[in-house]
Amino acid sequence: MTERELWERYQRYLSVVPSLGFSLDVSRMGFAADFLERMRPRLEEAFSRMEALEKGAIANPDENRRVGHYWLRAPELAPEPALSKDITSTVADIHAFAREVHEGKLKPPKAPRFTHLLLVGIGGSALGPQLVADALTSKADAMQVSFFDNTDPDGMDRVLGQLGARLAETLTVVISKSGGTKETRNGMLEAERAYKEQGLAFNKHAVAITGAGSELDQHARKQGWLRTFPMWDWVGGRTSVMSAVGLLPARLQGLDIDAMLEGAREMDVATRQRDAVKNPAALLALMWFHAGDGRGLKDMVILPYKDRLLLMSRYLQQLVMESLGKEKDLDGQVVNQGIAVYGNKGSTDQHAYVQQLREGVPNFFATFIEVLKDRDGESMEVESGTTSGDYLLGFLLGTRRALYEKGRESLTLTVPDVSARTVGALIALYERAVGLYASLVHINAYHQPGVEAGKKAATSVLAIQQKLTARLREARADARTAEQLAADIGQPDEVETVYKVLEHLAANPGRGVKRTGGPGPAEVRFQTK
Ligand SMILES: O=P(O)(O)OC[C@H]1O[C@](O)(CO)[C@@H](O)[C@@H]1O
């Protein structure tokens, strides 16, 4: 298509939400003229399912759960008054709690005020808060935010090292919907120990966000933590950022959570419309379908031209891949669905992987995110009449054109700024696009049966470790190979796991395992130190 034809196409299919200053441009997607019409019956069905979900139907049949993240920003739509009340009162509680913290009415025992926030969580209990914290941070932040989002000891040491003595003024928020996630449990224990080492009482610094009655809930109550905020079973982890999971940390940081909720609410209103071109979530879902032939054949590359949106791709990775990456469809047929998501930021990526995007394997479609506002205040000119921000737009449009010339498709989202309202709107847009796309390809977006397998396997690795350390203690000075030890514990086929576990133990001080021999794994011997 010529530039002029593209301009016509741009106008014809532009999906705009005027109140949010938002638009979605699909002109660089090569769908046929009758595509939207052909997809209409499927889309109607998807809208109907979404409507039922919003009215409180069991939209996650496997887990027999309702899916209520849309109610979080429109509590009046919750199917029962008690739910609406829970949502509203939780937001009010968050405001009141943050006020007390900011004003120093709720203060740590050995410092005048909480100035730092340590969030412990993983997956949906970290990615949303991380995106929001990073996108909206400013000099005005009331508290500085750090994260434990893994069970990596060195990762935690790094964060603790940065906090140093300021742990005395750090509020730790442990977030886990299930309350039983091991990475989070470990992070909590490591945090607790760090406080203890500085002579600080952890319970006077700790808050939980979790499901009622969960392991974490019970632990927090028993230990007399400052407070517990609810996480409801009708909110999925990856869509929990507008619940206490995202709102409490954001408010503590000093961010405008009401604006975030308002942005999401407005995007929800726009994305309930049944006209595909007026509804950017529907149009986005249809473009994903077009790009990957409804089978996820093309990866989704997220390219925000704004440093503040760097974590968007990580956030969307979970939202999209955990929701859509499914073995079976709603009828139990094997479909192996999903869309791979990756990305970073422009124009930085121009100097990294855009080379492949333009000339390499054509297995993707790009999503450009354009932010109109360059910065607070005016910009200097880096050349006569040109600012750094002009370059950023130049690179966005240039890369988009360069991709188009080589037949590589792209979408462009335009937002006015990176404000709480815009971030809320973007999150709401993708939440609904994922839900609609799942209906288009007939899968359940709201469960995650696949993640259990890895967790179970990890548990059996740790059980093998327990047996091995007991066996090594018995064997004392007797240096044994992995093969021998696997046989000793009655799991000869697990020799590779045995070897890996022992190699790890031997590499770390205080674990009591010595490694000798080699060079190959079969010749290495292990014994107690
Ligand atoms: O909030 P939780 O229960 O600790 O779960 C954390 C994450 O773990 C997962 O269940 C995947 O293992 C995600 O869906 C979830 O966001």
Side-chain angles (χ1 to χ4, degrees):
M1 255 181 231
T2 64
E3 286 301 313
R4 175 124 316 255
E5 283 164 342
L6 282 169
W7 167 238
E8 297 300 330
R9 193 171 166 80
Y10 169 67
Q11 295 173 77
R12 174 151 181 220
Y13 293 111
L14 192 69
S15 186
V16 186
V17 185
S19 67
L20 290 164
F22 168 91
S23 65
L24 166 64
D25 163 17
V26 298
S27 58
R28 270 72 176 173
M29 299 295 284
F31 57 94
D34 64 347
F35 174 70
L36 299 185
E37 201 44 46
R38 269 192 287 120
M39 290 299 288
R40 209 184 351 213
R42 280 200 205 218
L43 188 62
E44 282 299 326
E45 166 76 23
F47 282 137
S48 298
R49 281 182 185 266
M50 184 62 81
E51 235 168 69
L53 174 153
E54 289 204 80
K55 286 194 177 127
I58 302 287
N60 180 1
D62 298 32
E63 298 175 359
N64 196 27
R65 281 186 184 159
R66 296 188 286 195
V67 173
H69 49 272
Y70 300 109
W71 311 329
L72 298 170
R73 51 265 191 167
E76 72 281 5
L77 297 183
E80 288 146 29
L83 293 184
S84 313
K85 207 168 138 255
D86 280 350
I87 297 166
T88 318
S89 63
T90 301
V91 175
D93 287 351
I94 287 169
H95 276 294
F97 181 81
R99 205 174 306 121
E100 279 188 51
V101 170
H102 294 157
E103 289 173 358
K105 288 190 181 137
L106 184 72
K107 63 183 227 31
K110 295 190 179 174
R113 216 168 68 77
F114 284 115
T115 59
H116 284 67
L117 190 58
L118 173 61
L119 293 195
V120 185
I122 197 165
S125 292
L127 289 161
Q130 284 170 322
L131 168 66
V132 170
D134 195 49
L136 301 176
T137 184
S138 77
K139 281 191 296 209
D141 285 353
M143 298 174 83
Q144 308 304 309
V145 195
S146 320
F147 291 88
F148 278 3
D149 67 351
N150 197 359
T151 184
D152 174 10
D154 173 60
M156 292 185 265
D157 287 348
R158 210 160 61 149
V159 172
L160 290 170
Q162 282 153 1
L163 285 171
R166 282 174 307 200
L167 205 58
E169 32 190 271
T170 300
L171 182 70
T172 289
V173 180
V174 183
I175 310 177
S176 175
K177 175 180 173 176
S178 63
T181 302
K182 295 301 181 205
E183 292 93 330
T184 304
R185 193 275 318 257
N186 297 353
M188 174 191 79
L189 294 174
E190 297 254 3
E192 192 169 7
R193 196 182 79 135
Y195 278 94
K196 215 166 156 190
E197 276 176 3
Q198 291 195 24
L200 303 166
F202 184 58
N203 64 345
K204 300 291 179 217
H205 290 251
V207 171
I209 303 174
T210 189
S214 75
E215 224 176 277
L216 172 59
D217 187 30
Q218 292 175 33
H219 180 78
R221 281 174 208 283
K222 213 159 113 203
Q223 301 293 316
W225 287 18
L226 293 172
R227 188 69 187 258
T228 299
F229 286 86
M231 173 62 180
W232 301 292
D233 76 335
W234 44 266
V235 178
R238 54 189 172 274
T239 51
S240 65
V241 61
M242 308 269 169
S243 73
V245 169
L247 297 182
L248 179 67
R251 189 60 212 119
L252 286 167
Q253 186 180 340
L255 307 180
D256 186 352
I257 57 171
D258 296 322
M260 188 161 88
L261 290 167
E262 189 51 39
R265 185 185 169 92
E266 279 182 43
M267 185 57 86
D268 285 344
V269 171
T271 55
R272 282 190 192 105
Q273 302 177 88
R274 286 198 172 222
D275 177 337
V277 178
K278 289 205 176 113
N279 177 335
L283 197 57
L284 202 52
L286 288 169
M287 291 303 111
W288 297 351
F289 191 99
H290 154 76
D293 199 23
R295 293 178 291 152
L297 300 180
K298 297 273 172 85
D299 300 348
M300 186 189 301
V301 181
I302 304 291
L303 276 167
Y305 276 62
K306 192 51 84 182
D307 291 0
R308 286 181 180 276
L309 295 178
L310 174 72
L311 296 183
M312 197 72 195
S313 54
R314 268 175 83 182
Y315 175 78
L316 292 179
Q317 234 163 26
Q318 186 203 21
L319 179 63
V320 174
M321 296 177 76
E322 201 167 69
S323 301
L324 303 180
K326 300 293 157 69
E327 183 178 33
K328 294 186 178 150
D329 70 8
L330 288 166
D331 303 324
Q333 302 297 318
V334 173
V335 287
N336 298 118
Q337 274 290 355
I339 303 178
V341 179
Y342 65 94
N344 185 39
K345 65 175 180 178
S347 80
T348 313
D349 292 346
Q350 178 79 33
H351 304 275
Y353 60 79
V354 170
Q355 164 64 29
Q356 174 167 324
L357 296 191
R358 183 154 196 266
E359 296 186 351
V361 53
N363 61 352
F364 71 94
F365 62 100
T367 304
F368 291 98
I369 305 181
E370 176 195 16
V371 179
L372 294 176
K373 179 178 166 182
D374 283 339
R375 59 154 52 108
D376 284 336
E378 290 186 11
S379 286
M380 65 173 277
E381 293 185 355
V382 290
E383 288 160 17
S384 173
T386 310
T387 66
S388 304
D390 297 339
Y391 263 100
L392 198 60
L393 175 66
F395 284 127
L396 186 160
L397 296 177
T399 301
R400 187 172 78 149
R401 178 177 295 194
L403 292 183
Y404 184 75
E405 283 167 3
K406 289 283 187 180
R408 282 97 216 271
E409 295 180 304
S410 68
L411 299 154
T412 306
L413 308 185
T414 302
V415 291
D417 52 22
V418 184
S419 59
R421 198 169 133 85
T422 299
V423 170
L426 283 174
I427 290 169
L429 170 77
Y430 274 94
E431 283 178 351
R432 198 174 297 257
V434 164
L436 291 173
Y437 181 85
S439 289
L440 295 180
V441 301
H442 199 54
I443 57 167
N444 177 357
Y446 307 106
H447 66 168
Q448 52 286 328
V451 302
E452 292 311 316
K455 288 186 197 170
K456 278 196 195 123
T459 307
S460 69
V461 170
L462 292 162
I464 288 175
Q465 176 171 315
Q466 295 285 346
K467 286 193 214 166
L468 277 173
T469 43
R471 174 67 195 123
L472 280 174
R473 272 196 301 272
E474 274 168 31
R476 299 200 174 196
D478 185 10
R480 300 179 70 70
T481 63
E483 194 80 63
Q484 288 169 325
L485 285 161
D488 289 350
I489 63 165
Q491 294 185 260
D493 292 344
E494 291 289 354
V495 57
E496 187 184 352
T497 305
V498 164
Y499 177 76
K500 299 296 292 174
V501 164
L502 291 169
E503 195 185 32
H504 172 245
L505 289 174
N508 283 284
R511 310 307 306 272
V513 176
K514 190 170 142 196
R515 178 190 198 274
T516 50
E523 295 89 47
V524 174
R525 289 177 176 272
F526 298 97
Q527 67 195 106
T528 46
K529 265 201 220 168

